[in-house]
Amino acid sequence: MRCFTILGPSQAGKTTLLKALSELDGRPTVADFSDVLTVREFTYLNEPWAGFDIAGGPDYLGHAGEALAASDAAILCVAPDPDAAVLAAPYLRLIEASGVPCFIFINKMDLDEARIRDIVASLQAYANHHIVLRQAPIRDADGHVVGAVDLISERAWEYQEGKPSKLIEIPDDLHDREQEARGELLEHLADFDDHLMEELIEDREPPTDEVYKILAEAHRDNAVIAAYLGAASHGNGLTRLMKALRHEAPRMDQIGARLGVEAPLAIGVASETRRHVGKSTLLRALAPGIQHAAPLAGGGIGNLTGMDGKPANEPLEPGTLAIAVKSDHLEPGFAYTADGSAPLPGWTRGRAPGYARILMPANERDDARLSAALTRLAASDPGMETEQDSETGHVVVRLQSPIHMRRILAKLKDEFGVEAEEQPVSGIYRETITKPVDTHHRHRKQSGGAGQFADVHLTVRPQGRGAGFAFDETVKGGAVPKNYIPAVEHGAQDALQQGPLGFTVVDVAVTLTDGKHHAVDSSDHAFRTAAKNGVREALEQAGPVVLQPIERVEIHVPSVYSGSLVALAGSLKGQVLGFEGHGKARGWDVFQALIPAPAKEELFQALGGLTHGTAWFEAQFDHYEELHGKDAEKVRQARAEELA
């Protein structure tokens, strides 16, 4: 069996395209493996095929990456609009990073009158590989596409609704344009074959079979991208595309080398957890020996079923797809050997998740169940990451978008029986002090028996931004015994956990200058309590201010939108650091800026609208910066209400 992944922007018609391809030569087997992935198995000219259809939209690039890793070829389905080429840029970038040979299908040609050359040129702006046009459109008097000329065989085909295309003579008004387009195709292919180059130089017509062979080899070697045209909803252009896949897509023996994994037995394409069924993992066998109970990834394979739901009782043929049930050790995103697994390359995971939310169970008793469910979902969703909030202990979920969050909440409820609530990530602010303060605090407590006594003199002073906490002592004459000094330091640190403004205090130094002790009533606890209370009193007098975190963001953006990001960064009170072309992805820039962390969500929303969902960002903490004026007062009031 040979497999391909079909992907592209929303509304490009890729689902319609896969359906039409799978029905060219019989009835396909259709399996909606998950809400993201549909698999269609079919035969074409007596050969078995499978197509992976990934839901449209940049949210699903990670799922597309894992499917591409298990594929022999990729089909990029695009709309016939030069201005919409930028929407295909994230998919072209992913495909080129994968090394999987790509076929472009310009769909819906019946609805548009755009010049094919303009469409290809717009796509070329985002592709390192040269895109060669395989067909020239035939248009009627009104400019509508009614057929196509194969630029290698020079045969013209007229589309017929509900019937195979009809072979016709090349229209007279198309001869010059066809010859020009064919000449460009041959010139590009000559880069891969010296004999063809000689034929062109000597003005000799190369044999059709020779040109087909050169293109097939170049395509299998991932040296070019060929573009085809048609209208999937009318069945136009499908046979030419499917024949190209059949002759030019490489065999699966290249997958291991492409992934950098030696002799893999199978790949985990995707997984899904269903209530009352458990976890199911979609596998593609790459070598003999995949069957029930056989060793894979260090464990035995559970039950195997085909995409038609029937048990797979015989060993899988290499290339075949199957669903493993009761094989919890098999995770997607890995290539498996018998006794181990290797993670797929980083490109398979798509873009870094930038939408962060805290998730809490609607019922407190579901806390453990929520944590376990999120762990399982994150293992099967390459666009999802989880971590624990350091202040609240709640789970922080990082996702691709609010739509992605709605999907996760629905899965938690439907598949795990856990209802969860989301809220913004809090606790990102800090506070510090602006002036030094000397303080004296005596802790004395008598309640029968041994009492508590500790007396400390402290100097609390601000440090440079990012210096953190420092402690020292200048006590003389043993006023505070050495064995109690660590307790004083711990007490000072306790006080910094929550300052007078309600936030963690940073960049503060504390010096123990003097004190007193009692031979009977002094203890570590007493000195820790004294230091804690003393530092708290000092902080209130030391001019506390709110600090907001500033993050360094790297925005991956198509170059056509880079100029707009300068104004966007300014509107978010950020600082532009500059931008430069991406080193590997053509037509992309990496835009760098410093942005207040609270503005990240606004950046996320604005970036999606400004770039039509094509751009994304990665952020890392850089430093803290004092917040002034009304912004600081607003944060103080919100924190006070939160703690009330």
Side-chain angles (χ1 to χ4, degrees):
M1 176 177 285
R2 303 169 75 182
C3 297
F4 60 86
T5 296
I6 186 165
L7 63 169
S10 298
Q11 309 303 316
K14 56 188 182 50
T15 298
T16 303
L17 175 58
L18 178 56
K19 180 177 183 294
L21 288 173
S22 68
E23 295 174 351
L24 279 175
D25 201 11
R27 293 174 61 88
T29 296
V30 183
D32 292 322
F33 182 78
S34 69
D35 59 343
V36 174
L37 171 64
T38 297
V39 182
R40 283 180 171 263
E41 288 187 340
F42 61 98
T43 59
Y44 183 72
L45 299 182
N46 297 317
E47 290 183 356
W49 287 83
F52 301 127
D53 180 14
I54 307 298
D59 284 6
Y60 307 111
L61 284 172
H63 296 276
E66 292 179 344
L68 275 174
S71 296
D72 306 310
I75 298 177
L76 177 62
C77 183
V78 300
D81 180 2
D83 294 335
V86 67
L87 301 180
Y91 303 96
L92 269 170
R93 178 171 174 172
L94 175 64
I95 291 168
E96 291 199 313
S98 74
V100 177
C102 177
F103 300 74
I104 292 177
F105 187 75
I106 304 171
N107 197 16
K108 301 183 179 182
M109 286 302 300
D110 57 314
L111 303 178
D112 200 274
E113 300 177 11
R115 295 178 70 238
I116 297 297
R117 285 191 176 186
D118 293 341
I119 299 170
V120 171
S122 297
L123 292 169
Q124 187 66 69
Y126 302 102
N128 292 311
H129 291 71
H130 192 86
I131 300 174
V132 296
L133 185 61
R134 278 285 284 107
Q135 296 167 294
I138 300 174
R139 300 181 186 271
D140 62 13
D142 296 323
H144 299 130
V145 175
V146 295
V149 178
D150 187 306
L151 293 178
I152 294 181
S153 68
E154 294 192 280
R155 290 183 174 183
W157 300 90
E158 183 180 64
Y159 300 143
Q160 298 187 107
E161 190 71 29
K163 300 178 183 179
S165 298
K166 182 174 67 174
L167 183 64
I168 62 173
E169 294 293 327
I170 298 177
D172 293 338
D173 61 351
L174 185 59
H175 270 291
D176 291 344
R177 286 189 290 116
E178 185 271 336
Q179 284 297 304
E180 182 181 357
R182 174 178 165 80
E184 292 178 0
L185 170 63
L186 295 178
E187 286 179 8
H188 291 305
L189 294 181
D191 292 338
F192 309 107
D193 188 270
D194 292 340
H195 184 257
L196 177 60
M197 178 68 75
E198 291 177 4
E199 289 177 316
L200 296 182
I201 292 175
E202 296 172 3
D203 202 23
R204 289 186 286 123
E205 186 67 25
T208 298
D209 290 346
E210 176 187 345
V211 180
Y212 272 127
K213 181 180 178 182
I214 295 170
L215 176 60
E217 290 178 352
H219 224 160
R220 281 193 290 268
D221 293 340
N222 192 32
V224 297
I225 296 175
Y228 298 81
L229 57 92
S233 61
H234 296 281
N236 298 340
L238 303 181
T239 299
R240 177 65 270 168
L241 175 62
M242 198 64 221
K243 285 184 176 180
L245 276 170
R246 183 170 179 264
H247 292 291
E248 299 170 19
R251 300 290 175 174
M252 68 176 182
D253 54 9
Q254 296 187 15
I255 291 179
R258 188 189 305 141
L259 300 177
V261 179
E262 185 176 353
L265 295 180
I267 286 182
V269 181
S271 72
E272 184 74 1
T273 300
R274 294 180 176 85
R275 205 169 186 177
H276 308 306
V277 176
K279 178 181 175 182
S280 302
T281 301
L282 177 61
L283 304 176
R284 187 184 186 198
L286 300 179
I290 302 300
Q291 63 186 51
H292 171 63
L296 189 67
I301 302 175
N303 296 330
L304 285 173
T305 64
M307 302 310 297
D308 57 3
K310 298 178 181 179
N313 296 320
E314 300 297 323
L316 301 182
E317 292 289 332
T320 305
L321 300 176
I323 299 173
V325 184
K326 297 181 180 179
S327 303
D328 286 355
H329 67 293
L330 298 179
E331 301 286 1
F334 288 85
Y336 309 122
T337 58
D339 56 0
S341 59
L344 298 180
W347 59 260
T348 62
R349 297 198 61 84
R351 58 180 59 179
Y355 184 76
R357 280 292 186 274
I358 288 177
L359 277 189
M360 298 180 297
N363 299 310
E364 290 186 8
R365 65 177 182 273
D366 288 336
D367 189 64
R369 294 178 63 205
L370 174 62
S371 180
L374 288 173
T375 299
R376 297 192 68 173
L377 287 175
S380 63
D381 190 336
M384 173 182 176
E385 295 176 359
T386 61
E387 62 186 31
Q388 191 173 45
D389 184 69
S390 59
E391 293 196 5
T392 65
H394 294 305
V395 178
V396 176
V397 180
R398 300 187 183 279
L399 301 168
Q400 299 292 320
S401 68
I403 295 175
H404 194 183
M405 172 59 77
R406 289 197 289 273
R407 285 180 46 239
I408 294 299
L409 292 175
K411 284 190 174 187
L412 287 171
K413 181 178 179 180
D414 298 340
E415 298 171 10
F416 297 92
V418 178
E419 293 195 34
E421 300 171 346
E422 62 168 302
Q423 67 179 41
V425 177
S426 59
I428 60 175
Y429 294 99
R430 296 292 183 265
E431 61 180 276
T432 193
I433 57 176
T434 57
K435 60 183 179 181
V437 170
D438 294 322
T439 186
H440 169 231
H441 186 86
R442 175 172 292 182
H443 175 67
R444 176 185 291 170
K445 188 174 183 182
Q446 193 74 36
S447 57
Q452 297 181 30
F453 178 86
D455 186 285
V456 293
H457 291 259
L458 303 165
T459 297
V460 180
R461 63 187 185 279
Q463 292 221 97
R465 197 71 69 239
F469 170 74
F471 176 85
D472 64 348
E473 55 88 14
T474 58
V475 177
K476 297 179 180 179
V480 178
K482 294 290 186 182
N483 57 303
Y484 291 139
I485 290 177
V488 175
E489 180 177 356
H490 291 151
Q493 290 177 313
D494 292 341
L496 302 182
Q497 297 305 306
Q498 183 174 305
L501 304 182
F503 302 105
T504 300
V505 184
V506 297
D507 301 336
V508 168
V510 176
T511 301
L512 174 64
T513 58
D514 201 358
K516 295 180 181 179
H517 73 285
H518 188 277
V520 176
D521 292 342
S522 289
S523 64
D524 284 341
H525 176 72
F527 272 97
R528 184 166 186 164
T529 302
K532 174 180 172 181
N533 293 335
V535 171
R536 280 182 172 174
E537 294 168 359
L539 292 175
E540 294 180 352
Q541 305 169 35
V545 294
V546 177
L547 298 177
Q548 68 174 351
I550 304 297
E551 300 202 349
R552 179 183 291 266
V553 297
E554 282 194 352
I555 303 174
H556 294 252
V557 58
S559 302
V560 293
Y561 298 125
S562 294
S564 304
L565 298 188
V566 175
L568 175 59
S571 70
L572 300 176
K573 300 181 180 179
Q575 176 187 348
V576 176
L577 301 178
F579 63 91
E580 59 185 3
H582 193 282
K584 297 180 179 179
R586 184 178 182 184
W588 288 80
D589 287 336
V590 178
F591 185 98
Q592 295 187 337
L594 295 175
I595 299 290
K600 278 199 303 182
E601 183 164 340
E602 188 176 348
L603 171 63
F604 181 89
Q605 300 290 351
L607 198 60
L610 187 65
T611 69
H612 302 285
T614 56
W616 73 94
F617 69 88
E618 298 174 86
Q620 287 188 333
F621 171 78
D622 192 80
H623 66 278
Y624 281 106
E625 188 176 274
E626 183 178 345
L627 195 60
H628 299 278
K630 293 182 179 179
D631 291 336
E633 186 59 31
K634 184 178 179 180
V635 170
R636 290 186 184 191
Q637 291 178 358
R639 184 61 169 172
E641 293 173 2
E642 185 179 331
L643 297 175

